């Protein structure tokens, strides 16, 4: 058997079995490629001369095979268009395999689910200008294996930016770049699990995060959240606690300054780690931004940030700012696992930070989201006077409290979906949702601008028609 790559024009792999002879072997190999979907309807085959040269066959042999398969209907031959795989009704590209579900299927209608910024705000022009400059200036040598903790240009830019914008106290050596917050959290959990057995999370939270921690072998404690944030006094001897102090996810409350102090004292007393998830810290509307907890105790807090809310989740760029004691272990893990972010994207982000473009972009986003939040509040006051909006001093989502109990939630979500409105139910963020309240999360940043007013109108109308007005 010989396996060959025909490499003029499109590359494709042909498995030619010698026992069928030259002509028979090629015929079989082409039929098999078409049957398996490796060659799809419309694909153009190399010229008989090119394929013959590639496979070491006589040109006439290849021509005879093409003619044979054309006569049988597998190929078509058109003047100037060459020989192509014939159309096969109902057949799509690729082999026929069972379908795989997508992670976040798109919804039909108005998408007000939480978790996304307005992706139409992606700074395409600025990104394009920056990538041009990066490619013009990048020496060839920089395209080898880079620093698994992130390139120094981005780590330095982040250290300066986070100090200036979020009150984080750090140096570039304490910053590591990760492929999204989830990756960052896994690194932390793996490291904590070496010396400790338990980690605490807020309840409610995105339940994937405690599930991820449990996969690293940690036992998970879930601690309640009230109007002042995490119930810090319920912490015991956990090795770490994960908090969202600036804007609790999803309730939107801010961790009070008294509790910040008590949290830091607890970490000092137990030698524990506080993981500060500052997922939307750049978006504060009503007051001065709430600074990072990390600034109070840089040697006890791991600060985590991401571009998923400020630019786009697709970039998969996040960062950790580490206490000195964790730098070595995390560096070593990153060196071994080699999961790191594309260097070109890192350099572009560093340039956007240094040039002030990121700040300008954030100002544009902030003013758009604040307007959206205010429009939502007005529409709810007018059309759903019994609803209460919470957690709206910051971020990209609001908690909408409605008359009813948690037991009404599935019916409400189904009613909204029938009216083409998609929001998250609050109970999805609890292991045990409190029975007494009915709430949904409205991701007001998610729709593109042209769809926003319609989405808000549809939400209010549909909720009112469910008898909640
Ligand atoms: C609470 C919270 N933390 C962090 C993130 C960011 O995650 P990532 O950087 O993996 O996109 C999100 C995104 O939805 C979030 O909701």
């Amino acid at each position: 058997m010989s396996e060959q790559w025909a490499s003029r024009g499109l590359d494709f792999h042909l498995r030619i079995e010698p026992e069928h002879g030259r002509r028979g072997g090629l015929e079989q190999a082409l039929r098999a490629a078409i049957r398996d979907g490796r060659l799809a309807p419309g694909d153009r085959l190399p010229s008989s001369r090119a394929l013959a040269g590639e496979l070491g066959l006589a040109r006439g042999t290849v021509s005879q095979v093409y003619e044979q398969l054309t006569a049988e209907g597998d190929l078509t031959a058109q003047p100037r268009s060459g020989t192509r795989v014939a159309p096969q009704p109902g057949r799509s590209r690729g082999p026929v395999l069972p379908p795989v579900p997508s992670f976040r299927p798109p919804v039909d209608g108005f998408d007000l689910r939480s978790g996304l910024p307005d992706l139409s705000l992606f700074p395409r022009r600025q990104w394009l200008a920056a990538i041009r400059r990066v490619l013009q200036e990048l020496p060839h040598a920089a395209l080898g294996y880079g620093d698994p903790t992130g390139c120094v240009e981005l780590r330095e830019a982040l250290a300066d930016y986070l100090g200036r914008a979020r009150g984080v106290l750090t140096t570039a050596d304490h910053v590591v770049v990760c492929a999204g917050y989830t990756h960052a959290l896994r690194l932390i959990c793996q490291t904590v699990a070496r010396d400790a057995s338990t980690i605490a999370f807020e309840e409610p939270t995105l339940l994937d995060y405690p599930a991820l921690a449990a996969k690293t072998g940690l036992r998970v404690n879930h601690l309640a959240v009230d109007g002042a944030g995490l119930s810090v006094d319920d912490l015991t001897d956990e090795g770490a606690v994960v908090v969202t102090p600036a804007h609790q996810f999803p309730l939107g409350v801010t961790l009070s300054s008294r509790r910040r102090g008590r949290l830091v004292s607890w970490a000092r007393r137990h030698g524990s780690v506080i993981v500060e998830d500052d997922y939307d810290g750049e978006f504060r509307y009503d007051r001065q931004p709430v600074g990072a907890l990390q600034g109070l105790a840089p040697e006890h807090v791991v600060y985590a940030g991401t571009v998923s809310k400020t630019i786009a989740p697709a970039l998969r760029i996040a960062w950790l700012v580490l206490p000195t004691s964790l730098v070595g272990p995390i560096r070593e893990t990153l060196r071994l696992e080699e999961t790191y972010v594309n260097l070109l994207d890192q350099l572009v982000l560093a340039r956007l930070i240094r040039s002030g473009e990121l700040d300008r972009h954030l100002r544009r986003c902030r003013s758009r989201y604040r307007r959206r939040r205010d429009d939502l509040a007005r529409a709810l006051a007018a059309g759903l006077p019994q609803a209460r909006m919470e957690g709206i001093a910051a971020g990209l989502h609001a908690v909408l409290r409605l008359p009813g109990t948690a037991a009404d939630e599935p019916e409400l979500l189904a009613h909204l979906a029938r009216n083409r409105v998609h929001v998250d139910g609050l109970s999805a963020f609890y292991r045990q949702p409190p029975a007494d309240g009915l709430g949904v999360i409205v991701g007001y940043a998610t729709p593109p601008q042209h769809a926003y007013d319609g989405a808000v109108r549809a939400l209010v109308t549909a909720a009112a028609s469910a008898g909640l007005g």
Side-chain angles (χ1 to χ4, degrees), residues 121 282-285 360-375 444 449:
L121 284 171
E282 288 86 353
F283 297 110
R284 185 104 215 156
Y285 308 121
R360 282 189 280 283
H361 168 72
L362 287 174
R363 273 199 295 281
R364 277 193 296 276
C365 295
R366 241 178 248 127
S367 93
R368 175 172 291 186
Y369 297 149
R370 181 193 285 121
R371 230 175 307 130
R372 285 189 180 196
R373 180 200 64 163
D374 295 347
D375 289 349
Y444 54 79
Q449 187 65 9

Side-chain angles (χ1 to χ4, degrees), residues 384-433:
L384 278 182
Q386 290 195 63
R388 214 161 16 94
M389 241 167 94
E390 292 178 355
I392 54 170
L396 311 182
H397 69 270
V399 180
L400 194 58
R401 302 275 186 187
L402 296 159
T405 69
D408 303 322
E409 190 188 294
E411 203 182 312
L412 171 64
L413 294 181
H415 175 79
L416 293 177
R418 278 194 299 278
N419 288 275
R420 306 182 66 239
V421 177
H422 303 272
V423 294
D424 295 318
L426 192 50
S427 29
F429 301 94
Y430 286 89
R431 284 168 320 140
Q432 286 159 344

Side-chain angles (χ1 to χ4, degrees), residues 338-353:
E338 289 251 344
T339 339
Y340 47 99
V341 176
N342 175 336
L343 172 74
L344 300 179
D345 292 337
Q346 293 189 52
L347 291 171
V348 168
L349 180 59
R351 192 171 268 277
L352 295 183
I353 294 172

Side-chain angles (χ1 to χ4, degrees), residues 43-76:
D43 276 354
R44 184 176 183 163
L45 272 67
S47 68
S48 52
R49 181 199 303 273
L51 188 57
E54 201 67 45
L55 301 179
L57 300 173
R59 184 178 174 191
T61 306
V62 177
S63 300
Q64 284 167 8
V65 169
Y66 279 8
E67 279 161 24
Q68 176 69 29
L69 293 184
T70 304
E72 290 173 10
D74 285 329
L75 299 178
T76 58

Side-chain angles (χ1 to χ4, degrees), residues 25 34 87 93 110 158 204 227 345 412 421:
I34 294 168
R93 173 167 291 278
F110 300 106
L158 282 170
D345 292 337
L412 171 64
V421 177

Side-chain angles (χ1 to χ4, degrees), residues 27-46:
E27 233 176 83
Q28 277 227 336
L30 281 171
R31 274 202 201 96
I34 294 168
R35 186 191 58 229
D36 298 347
R38 288 180 285 122
L39 279 175
D43 276 354
R44 184 176 183 163
L45 272 67

